[in-house]
Amino acid sequence: MQKIKEYLKEVKVELKKVVFPSKDEIIGSTWVVIFTVVLVSIFLGIVDIGLSRLVKLVLI
């Protein structure tokens, strides 16, 4: 039981050291993620269409 109490005290001390992002930083990071996902999905869609056409040309 003593080890658990000591562990929880250490967790509390470590949590005080953590710097959580502000609301504006979270919103900014979210937009970066959304933009990156959209760009990657467009790129992969174009590659998929290109490879599909290439396979059709080879097989037909």
Side-chain angles (χ1 to χ4, degrees):
M1 193 66 174
Q2 184 64 27
K3 286 186 176 184
I4 294 173
K5 287 181 182 179
E6 184 178 333
Y7 172 75
L8 292 175
K9 285 180 184 178
E10 291 176 12
V11 168
K12 188 176 179 181
V13 169
E14 290 299 319
L15 275 175
K16 288 181 181 179
K17 296 178 185 178
V18 174
V19 178
F20 292 98
S22 68
K23 184 178 178 180
D24 290 337
E25 289 173 329
I26 292 172
I27 292 171
S29 297
T30 303
W31 280 115
V32 169
V33 169
I34 290 171
F35 181 73
T36 304
V37 167
V38 168
L39 281 180
V40 169
S41 64
I42 290 171
F43 172 75
L44 291 176
I46 292 170
V47 169
D48 183 47
I49 291 170
L51 290 174
S52 296
R53 290 183 180 173
L54 182 63
V55 168
K56 283 181 184 178
L57 285 174
V58 170
L59 294 178
I60 296 178

